[in-house]
Amino acid sequence: MRDYETFFRTNRLPHIWCPGCGHGIAMKAIAKAIAKLDLDQDKTVIVSGIGCSSRASGYMDFDTLHTAHGRALPFATGIKLANPELNVIVITGDGDCMAIGGNHFIHAARRNIDLTVILFNNNIYGMTGGQASPLTPVEKKATTAPYGTFDRPFNPCEVAKTAGATYIARGTAFHAAPLVDLIAQGIQNKGFSFIETLVQCPTSYGRRNKMGSAAAMLKDMSETVIPLAAYNRLSTEERNEKLPSGVLHTDVFPEYAAEYAKIIKQAGGDKA
Amino acid sequence: MIIKVNARFCKGCNICVAFCPKQVLALDSMGKVCVVDESACIGCGQCELRCPDFAIRINKEEKA
Ligand SMILES: Cc1ncc(C[n+]2csc(CCOP(=O)(O)OP(=O)(O)O)c2C)c(N)n1
Ligand code: SF4
């Protein structure tokens, strides 16, 4: 047994994800990051919304919450404020986080509350059969965009940055080893941390867009996603074809739960 | 090198087969991963790294 496997509810495995689905790779990276940091299993909470990605919480052996679609962040905020000692990790999908949950996302980032959000970005609503999400790239096909979508997608890392997140990183299922460190650093940041993780959905996205097998989709990621330093050396036109990976942004702001505790103290008459 | 396959977990996605640089792995007639040439394995762990199903494991040390 690998050390990180102690964090799985092995009696619930094999998981329900399709053959080749990238969610299993991303979930494994989270478990490895937790093992690496040696977090206390009893002080770590996993919260997710609804979607194939959000099923991950059910396979992880912590106190876990599988909440409502788009609502992982309000639940996570409540948990963190009630008990700031806990490590609160949020698993969400591109629909869950950026469509129905978009408003919660910008405000959780704005508050800089100490949560670590791992967005499993497969560019599609996987669970419901392949509707376009706010992260579906232009021209890609979806059940709701049979001729290809023309809605401009968000860049979720830029949204997080503008909203005030203090740690932002991007990794992929192909780059599964460095992904572990990106998640671990996010957990260590005392503030709102966001790790966009590109994953393949061969069933609801790849097949409709003729992207080939799960392995072919992973190989695509290995070519389009490049380290930030290499990305910065590209011309503006070249950048259109690529995405930067690694730690993209860090900042320092007061953390919300700590500020909240100060107010509680003050309101209770403690002037110190 | 000891390659351990958990056939119950394997869904036959072929990711491990595709990323093995030494053609050690293949899918069998049931569509599950099988080891075709264990002696060629260099222990790089590429298969285990990206297996979404926790179904393959490379152990460098000999079994006690
Ligand atoms: C309030 C509400 N609206 C819609 C749905 C239907 N629904 C379930 S999952 C999902 C989208 C999931 O997409 P995403 O978050 O990208 O996760 P994925 O399945 O791709 O991992 C939707 C729209 C729901 N469960 N609840
Ligand atoms: S539909 Fe897509 S996201 Fe959902 S389990 Fe299948 S491959 Fe994964």
Side-chain angles (χ1 to χ4, degrees):
Chain A
M1 194 146 170
R2 300 289 192 238
D3 57 352
Y4 65 86
E5 284 177 326
T6 57
F7 299 135
F8 292 149
R9 293 174 179 147
T10 34
N11 61 336
R12 304 289 299 276
L13 298 174
H15 51 61
I16 59 145
W17 293 315
C18 299
C21 174
H23 290 341
I25 304 175
M27 180 172 83
K28 183 161 60 173
I30 297 172
K32 284 184 179 177
I34 292 171
K36 189 177 168 169
L37 297 175
D38 201 17
L39 297 188
D40 184 343
Q41 200 162 1
D42 295 327
K43 292 206 166 118
T44 302
V45 182
I46 313 276
V47 188
S48 66
I50 295 289
C52 297
S53 36
S54 291
R55 301 278 309 212
S57 58
Y59 302 117
M60 303 191 75
D61 197 10
F62 299 91
D63 288 323
T64 60
L65 261 87
H66 192 179
T67 70
H69 195 29
R71 312 297 180 225
L73 282 167
F75 283 89
T77 299
I79 294 164
K80 187 71 191 179
L81 285 180
N83 190 352
E85 244 190 59
L86 300 174
N87 308 300
V88 185
I89 297 172
V90 175
I91 297 176
T92 178
D94 44 304
D96 195 63
C97 185
M98 301 305 298
I100 192 167
N103 204 36
H104 299 302
F105 180 68
I106 55 175
H107 292 290
R110 178 173 68 88
R111 289 166 160 170
N112 191 35
I113 184 160
D114 184 17
L115 306 174
T116 303
V117 177
I118 299 118
L119 167 62
F120 290 15
N121 179 12
N122 56 14
N123 306 103
I124 204 82
Y125 288 8
M127 178 168 268
T128 43
Q131 296 80 5
S133 90
L135 302 190
T136 305
V138 168
E139 291 180 3
K140 290 291 185 197
K141 291 189 174 130
T143 53
T144 47
Y147 300 99
T149 183
F150 53 89
D151 293 28
R152 255 197 321 168
F154 277 138
N155 176 332
C157 294
E158 292 297 328
V159 174
K161 185 176 167 187
T162 307
T166 48
Y167 173 91
I168 301 169
R170 182 184 285 115
T172 83
F174 175 83
H175 307 90
L179 178 61
V180 177
D181 288 315
L182 293 176
I183 294 170
Q185 287 179 60
I187 294 171
Q188 282 175 308
N189 173 48
K190 290 273 164 267
F192 190 86
S193 303
F194 177 65
I195 301 104
E196 179 191 2
T197 302
L198 302 182
V199 291
Q200 71 282 7
C201 167
T203 305
S204 294
Y205 184 65
R207 194 165 50 184
R208 183 167 288 108
N209 285 292
K210 301 195 168 37
M211 296 168 82
S213 64
M217 293 178 82
L218 283 166
K219 280 189 189 129
D220 278 352
M221 282 174 210
S222 75
E223 285 157 19
T224 46
V225 184
I226 59 172
L228 180 63
Y231 179 85
N232 284 341
R233 285 194 293 271
L234 299 179
S235 68
T236 317
E237 297 83 74
E238 288 170 326
R239 284 183 191 178
N240 289 335
E241 308 294 310
K242 305 280 181 191
L243 275 174
S245 65
V247 179
L248 305 181
H249 177 76
T250 58
D251 211 338
V252 182
F253 288 117
E255 192 275 321
Y256 194 73
E259 294 303 300
Y260 192 78
K262 282 189 207 161
I263 293 291
I264 299 276
K265 229 178 167 186
Q266 196 187 337
D270 186 342
K271 286 177 191 70
Chain B
M1 230 60 69
I2 297 165
I3 307 174
K4 266 182 73 183
V5 171
N6 182 344
R8 199 169 71 82
F9 282 12
C10 177
K11 294 175 187 157
C13 70
N14 209 51
I15 289 175
C16 57
V17 179
F19 284 104
C20 172
K22 296 288 172 190
Q23 285 82 47
V24 172
L25 307 167
L27 295 188
D28 67 17
S29 58
M30 298 298 286
K32 303 259 184 185
V33 64
C34 65
V35 181
V36 288
D37 188 4
E38 193 158 25
S39 64
C41 174
I42 53 170
C44 65
Q46 293 288 306
C47 53
E48 178 175 342
L49 179 68
R50 299 195 189 85
C51 173
D53 294 286
F54 328 120
I56 188 160
R57 184 171 303 175
I58 303 294
N59 286 327
K60 288 192 181 162
E61 68 284 2
E62 292 294 313
K63 258 187 233 153

